């Protein structure tokens, strides 16, 4: 037993000295295997430096400055080298860590950074082609210039707008491609301060969806020697959101004077004039108009809108301070295509007579908001129930002269889904109303969404259309 242990230990010592590994089965059997030899490729001094240059690591060697400039590679000859005594080829570069490569004295930082990523195998049997990257001679071919304009535009579509502005300064071709209309269809400039003449340059890009919520736009809109020529060019804007924006009336007049293709606009809490309304009325394809809390609206300004915009589907005039004669004009001249109407906050300027004329003119209404119309009575409930057979939503919040007992008359409308009566009933009476109108939702929508560009928590789109850049 003692001899076998001694023999086993001697075998392990021989294994450590030779640097070879033996499996457990071979250890148990006590058989040793002779060290294997492997074939390695060795070349002379000049060709070694040439290989390092081809591999892109020649810049890391201090001895590579005197490398040969021959273009062809000689054939490599195999030699048998013992594994225990591996010889290092002469002139081999010093292997550095990435952090140490930044401190070496190379021609430029760009070349040193590129040399760290050259890890692909090199085919030594072919001649050197023009596409081979040689860090010592050039920084590489421009593959991007070989792409077509359509492919480059597809790449540019993924870039944010501030990056596109930088790309326009690279070369003449990129400057031309960056100005393409397909890259500037959607622009979000909410909460920004837009200087003089900047908005006109944005319009010249061919933008179609423009969001300027809570922005401050300085005038004049068109400036420079070509202001007269630019002001005659029509913009391509179709969806415009100016909600809560600080825009002077002269700037609004300039803006809408070049807009003829508008489909949906929002001017919530803006100061208007008759001339602005005149320009708005020239957009015959208008479908949605949000003029809630706007000041300066008169019957003279409403006339071109109601006369020309006959495709209007949604209109919001809430808390706009309309006078009685303007409300009478609206009830007579609104287009029959209207489906959603918000006239809340008119206080004493709307009566039951205007409601009767309104439901006759716009018999296809599906959403009607008459909140805070304080002199409406139960007669208005009868007019609505008798004429609006397609009504789905009705808001009567804070209409204190309407008796709660008259509201269940709306049950005769099979299409009605929700009724809001905030501030009119206490909890007990509200519960009785819910039992009487069990099929209809009561007090479900505290805020109106008629013609508003953004509702809920979605602040990256207007009217369901995305306006912000993709996140990469």
């Amino acid at each position: 037993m003692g001899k076998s242990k001694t023999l086993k230990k001697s075998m392990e010592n021989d294994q450590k000295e030779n640097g070879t590994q033996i499996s457990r089965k071979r250890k148990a059997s006590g058989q040793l295997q002779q060290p294997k030899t492997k074939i390695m490729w060795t070349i002379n001094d000049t060709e070694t430096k040439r290989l390092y240059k081809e591999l892109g690591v020649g810049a890391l060697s201090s001895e590579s400055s005197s490398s040969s400039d021959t273009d062809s590679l000689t054939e490599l000859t195999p030699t048998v080298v013992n594994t225990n005594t591996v010889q290092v080829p002469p002139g081999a570069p010093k292997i550095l860590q990435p952090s140490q490569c930044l401190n070496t004295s190379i021609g430029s930082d760009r070349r040193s950074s590129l040399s760290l990523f050259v890890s692909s195998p090199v085919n030594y049997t072919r001649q050197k082609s023009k596409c081979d990257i040689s860090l010592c001679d050039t920084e590489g071919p421009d593959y991007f210039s070989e792409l077509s304009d359509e492919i480059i535009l597809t790449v540019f579509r993924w870039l944010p707008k501030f990056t596109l502005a930088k790309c326009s300064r690279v070369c003449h071709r990129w400057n031309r491609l960056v100005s393409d209309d397909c890259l500037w269809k959607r622009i979000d400039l909410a909460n920004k301060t837009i200087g003089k003449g900047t908005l006109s340059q944005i319009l010249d890009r061919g933008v179609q969806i423009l969001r300027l919520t809570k922005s401050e736009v300085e005038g004049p809109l068109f400036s420079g020697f070509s202001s007269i020529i630019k002001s005659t060019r029509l913009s391509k804007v179709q969806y415009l959101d100016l909600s809560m924006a600080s825009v002077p009336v002269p700037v609004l007049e300039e803006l809408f004077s070049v807009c003829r293709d508008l489909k949906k606009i929002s001017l919530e809490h803006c100061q208007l004039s008759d001339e602005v309304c005149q320009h708005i009325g020239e957009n015959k394809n208008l479908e949605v108009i949000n003029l809630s809390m706007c000041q300066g609206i008169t019957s003279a300004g409403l006339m071109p809108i109601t006369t020309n915009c006959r495709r209007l589907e949604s209109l919001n005039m809430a808390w706009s301070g309309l006078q009685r004669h303007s409300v009478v004009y609206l009830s007579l001249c609104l287009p029959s295509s209207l489906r959603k109407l918000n006239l809340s906050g008119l206080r004493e300027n709307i009566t039951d007579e205007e409601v009767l004329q309104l439901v006759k003119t716009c018999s296809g209404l599906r959403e009607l908001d008459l909140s805070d119309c304080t002199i409406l009575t139960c007669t208005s409930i009868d007019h609505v129930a008798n004429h609006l057979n397609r009504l789905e939503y009705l808001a009567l919040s804070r209409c204190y002269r309407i008796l709660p007992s008259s509201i269940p008359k709306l049950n005769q409308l099979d299409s009605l889904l929700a009724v809001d009566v905030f501030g009119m009933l206490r909890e007990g009476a509200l519960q009785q109303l819910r039992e009487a109108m069990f099929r209809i939702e009561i007090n479900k929508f505290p805020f109106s969404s008629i013609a508003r560009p953004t509702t809920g928590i979605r602040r990256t789109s207007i009217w369901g259309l995305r306006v912000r850049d993709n996140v990469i």
Side-chain angles (χ1 to χ4, degrees):
M1 295 297 293
K3 292 182 179 180
S4 61
K5 290 183 179 180
T6 305
L7 179 60
K8 186 176 182 180
K9 289 182 180 181
S10 62
M11 292 169 56
E12 292 177 355
N13 293 334
D14 295 339
Q15 176 188 354
K16 293 180 180 179
E17 293 176 0
N18 297 330
T20 59
Q21 295 181 356
I22 305 175
S23 61
R24 294 181 179 178
K25 293 182 179 180
R26 291 180 179 177
K27 286 182 180 180
S29 61
Q31 297 178 359
L32 293 177
Q33 185 178 4
Q34 296 298 330
K36 293 183 178 180
T37 59
K38 65 178 182 179
I39 298 176
M40 297 187 62
W41 296 90
T42 59
I43 55 179
N44 56 20
D45 222 3
T46 304
E47 296 304 326
T48 301
K49 297 176 183 179
R50 183 61 185 170
L51 281 178
Y52 292 138
K53 182 179 178 180
E54 291 293 331
L55 289 173
V57 296
L60 300 179
S61 176
S62 60
E63 300 176 1
S64 61
S65 58
S66 61
S67 59
S68 176
D69 296 333
T70 57
D71 294 335
S72 61
L73 296 177
T74 58
E75 296 183 357
L76 305 180
T77 57
T79 58
V80 179
V81 182
N82 193 351
T83 308
N84 299 331
T85 58
V86 178
Q87 297 179 358
V88 180
K94 182 180 179 181
I95 300 177
L96 303 178
Q97 297 297 327
S99 59
Q100 298 175 342
C101 295
L102 300 177
N103 298 328
T104 57
S105 57
I106 311 175
S108 62
D109 294 339
R110 179 177 178 83
R111 294 185 178 182
S112 62
S113 60
L114 285 175
S115 62
L116 299 178
F117 297 97
V118 181
S119 58
S120 58
V122 180
N123 186 5
Y124 299 108
T125 60
R126 63 178 178 84
Q127 296 294 330
K128 182 180 178 182
S129 63
K130 296 181 179 180
C131 297
D132 291 337
I133 299 178
S134 179
L135 299 177
C136 298
D137 298 333
T138 178
E139 295 182 359
D142 186 8
Y143 296 107
F144 206 81
S145 62
E146 299 178 3
L147 301 177
S148 62
D149 292 351
E150 291 76 10
I151 296 178
I152 296 178
L153 288 175
T154 304
V155 176
F156 281 173
R157 286 194 186 113
W158 291 90
L159 301 179
K161 297 300 182 291
F162 68 90
T163 305
L164 286 177
K166 295 180 180 179
C167 291
S168 63
R169 296 177 291 184
V170 173
C171 60
H172 290 288
R173 186 190 182 193
W174 283 27
N175 184 276
R176 174 177 57 82
L177 293 176
V178 166
S179 302
D180 196 275
D181 294 350
C182 68
L183 302 177
W184 303 91
K185 290 183 178 180
R186 312 166 187 264
I187 296 181
D188 186 4
L189 295 175
N191 301 294
K192 306 292 184 181
T193 300
I194 303 174
K196 300 178 181 179
T198 304
L199 188 56
S200 63
Q201 297 178 5
I202 296 174
L203 297 177
D204 290 339
R205 296 284 187 179
V207 58
Q208 297 181 7
I209 305 173
L210 180 59
R211 183 171 182 250
L212 296 170
T213 306
K214 297 181 181 179
S215 297
E216 181 180 355
V217 182
E218 300 177 355
L221 186 64
F222 302 98
S223 60
F225 297 103
S226 58
S227 60
I228 300 177
I229 300 177
K230 288 183 178 180
S231 60
T232 58
R233 295 179 58 184
L234 299 180
S235 67
K236 299 181 181 180
V237 180
Q238 298 181 8
Y239 304 90
L240 178 61
D241 183 10
L242 286 167
S243 303
M244 312 296 290
S246 176
V247 187
V249 175
V251 177
L252 281 178
E253 295 174 357
E254 287 184 281
L255 175 60
F256 285 101
S257 65
V258 296
C259 296
R260 294 293 182 273
D261 297 329
L262 289 173
K263 293 182 178 180
K264 298 181 182 181
I265 59 174
S266 176
L267 293 167
E268 185 173 341
H269 206 279
C270 292
Q271 183 69 32
L272 306 182
S273 64
D274 292 342
E275 187 174 354
V276 174
C277 296
Q278 177 71 31
H279 292 312
I280 293 176
E282 294 178 0
N283 297 270
K284 297 183 179 181
N285 295 324
L286 265 177
E287 301 174 358
V288 176
I289 302 178
N290 180 19
L291 300 177
S292 59
M293 293 186 288
C294 288
Q295 303 298 322
I297 302 177
T298 62
S299 56
L302 292 174
M303 187 177 299
I305 297 177
T306 56
T307 303
N308 299 327
C309 304
R310 305 306 297 179
R311 298 182 181 179
L312 201 60
E313 297 180 358
S314 183
L315 177 63
N316 192 336
M317 303 288 297
W319 300 95
S320 56
L322 291 178
Q323 300 299 321
R324 175 69 184 276
H325 59 277
S326 299
V327 177
V328 173
Y329 176 79
L330 274 180
S331 62
L332 294 172
C333 301
L334 282 176
S336 58
S337 61
L338 202 63
R339 296 294 178 264
K340 300 178 182 181
L341 178 62
N342 189 344
L343 295 177
S344 61
L346 296 182
R347 299 294 183 180
E348 299 178 357
N349 293 327
I350 184 172
T351 62
D352 296 333
E353 288 76 12
E354 283 76 50
V355 173
L356 176 60
Q357 187 61 46
L358 180 65
V359 296
K360 289 181 178 180
T361 305
C362 306
S363 58
L365 281 176
R366 297 181 180 179
E367 295 184 17
L368 179 60
D369 192 342
L370 297 174
S371 302
D372 295 285
C373 297
T374 54
I375 63 174
L376 295 182
T377 62
C378 301
T379 308
S380 296
I381 298 292
D382 297 333
H383 297 333
V384 171
N386 296 331
H387 294 86
L388 300 181
N389 298 325
R390 300 180 182 179
L391 190 65
E392 298 177 358
Y393 170 74
L394 178 63
L396 299 171
S397 301
R398 294 169 294 278
C399 295
Y400 299 111
R401 294 193 180 185
I402 297 178
L403 299 177
S405 58
S406 63
I407 298 178
K409 294 180 181 180
L410 298 173
N411 280 327
Q412 69 185 51
L413 297 175
D414 297 334
S415 60
L416 191 61
L417 301 176
V419 175
D420 288 340
V421 288
F422 289 101
M424 295 178 59
L425 303 174
R426 295 185 178 181
E427 189 61 32
L430 187 63
Q431 184 62 30
Q432 294 179 359
L433 180 62
R434 287 173 177 167
E435 294 176 357
M437 305 176 68
F438 61 91
R439 184 180 57 85
I440 300 172
E441 295 283 348
I442 304 297
N443 290 351
K444 185 178 181 181
F445 305 102
F447 303 104
S448 175
S449 61
I450 297 177
R452 293 186 182 274
T454 56
T455 57
I457 60 176
R458 295 184 178 181
R459 293 294 182 264
T460 61
S461 61
I462 55 176
W463 294 292
L465 302 173
R466 180 179 53 81
V467 292
R468 292 189 180 178
D469 296 313
N470 292 330
V471 179
I472 302 177

